[in-house]
Amino acid sequence: MNADNFEADDNPAAVGGIAADRLRSIIERVERLEEERKALAGDIKDIFTEAKSAGFDVKVIRQIIRLRKQEPAEVEEQETLLDIYRRALGM
């Protein structure tokens, strides 16, 4: 297969059949979002530090956040199983 068979030869921004501008745009958007995610992770860490300094147990806060993401029926099922397992172990 020679270079004459690529439709992208008519497009100077295309290399090897790939639209370079489109690829660059996609990569740059992902990079921007990764930077935003990094900044948000720092903000979340700051909030947990604030909670800890206010006397809250961060592990428990994380558990509550995880529970709030779940469906109520799922939470109830897990709590029921936890209770059954505790009783089975004499706790």
Side-chain angles (χ1 to χ4, degrees):
M1 180 178 225
N2 63 31
D4 295 335
N5 292 339
F6 284 110
E7 293 177 23
D9 286 342
D10 297 337
N11 181 355
V15 177
I18 297 174
D21 290 342
R22 177 78 170 146
L23 177 60
R24 185 175 297 106
S25 171
I26 289 169
I27 290 171
E28 289 171 353
R29 286 171 36 213
V30 170
E31 289 172 340
R32 267 193 309 279
L33 290 172
E34 286 177 347
E35 284 299 316
E36 288 178 29
R37 179 172 44 187
K38 185 177 175 183
L40 288 173
D43 292 346
I44 291 169
K45 182 179 177 186
D46 291 344
I47 293 170
F48 281 121
T49 300
E50 177 186 338
K52 186 174 182 177
S53 68
F56 294 106
D57 187 320
V58 173
K59 283 175 70 172
V60 174
I61 291 174
R62 289 183 190 277
Q63 286 176 329
I64 290 172
I65 291 169
R66 189 171 47 252
L67 287 172
R68 288 170 53 112
K69 290 178 183 178
Q70 296 176 355
E71 294 295 321
E74 187 179 343
V75 173
E76 185 177 339
E77 180 183 344
Q78 288 178 1
E79 289 175 351
T80 300
L81 284 172
L82 181 60
D83 184 50
I84 291 169
Y85 290 0
R86 282 182 174 163
R87 283 189 278 138
L89 295 172
M91 298 176 68

